[in-house]
Amino acid sequence: MQRDDGQVVLLGKAEIDLALECQRCLQPIEQRFFADFELVLVKYERQLAAVSDEDDAIVVDDELELAPLIEQELILALPMIAKHDDCQATYDNTPAAEAERQQPFANLKDLLNK
Ligand SMILES: [Zn+2]
């Protein structure tokens, strides 16, 4: 399709079900990821200069290979660190963690008393 600014764009939606490992409790998370993308298609690399910085653009020679493109978009949509939204892991609220957190202040007090 052609956009108002004359650029030819590819609009797409992709979704995938993935099992990731929660970085807090190490239990698997099954989650569905969605990627919406809008890519500006150009035929020659030199045309990339005319593409706005806010757009993602790709050079398409003859045929557009959709599979790797969609894969790429989905990878970008994945979280850097996977964790449950309602993770049951509570180790970071244990008294040990509390004590650890108070350490910097204890050290500061020692420093001030010197
Ligand atoms: Zn978790």
Side-chain angles (χ1 to χ4, degrees):
M1 84 172 229
Q2 195 154 13
R3 221 166 44 179
D4 292 346
D5 63 2
Q7 301 283 12
V8 176
V9 295
L10 174 75
L11 294 174
K13 273 182 203 290
E15 61 177 80
I16 190 170
D17 286 317
L18 276 186
L20 301 172
E21 188 176 70
C22 174
Q23 297 303 300
R24 290 183 71 193
C25 67
L26 303 181
Q27 296 302 306
I29 316 170
E30 297 216 4
Q31 215 171 320
R32 178 164 291 189
F33 294 96
F34 299 92
D36 279 322
F37 51 91
E38 179 173 340
L39 290 166
V40 175
L41 307 181
V42 297
K43 196 160 167 84
Y44 305 103
E45 259 188 67
R46 58 184 161 80
Q47 292 175 294
L48 289 175
V51 176
S52 145
D53 285 345
E54 287 155 30
D55 287 322
D56 287 325
I58 50 166
V59 180
V60 181
D61 290 332
D62 295 313
E63 281 178 47
L64 176 62
E65 277 192 67
L66 272 180
L69 203 120
I70 290 169
E71 193 178 280
Q72 180 73 23
E73 291 299 321
L74 279 168
I75 289 168
L76 291 174
L78 296 185
M80 297 292 276
I81 296 171
K83 60 182 172 62
H84 292 113
D85 287 338
D86 57 345
C87 188
Q88 299 302 309
T90 53
Y91 62 83
D92 57 351
N93 289 322
T94 59
E98 279 297 316
E100 189 77 27
R101 234 177 270 157
Q102 283 163 13
Q103 279 301 317
F105 296 102
N107 290 341
L108 185 66
K109 207 171 169 188
D110 285 346
L111 288 172
L112 291 172
N113 287 337
K114 263 174 198 168

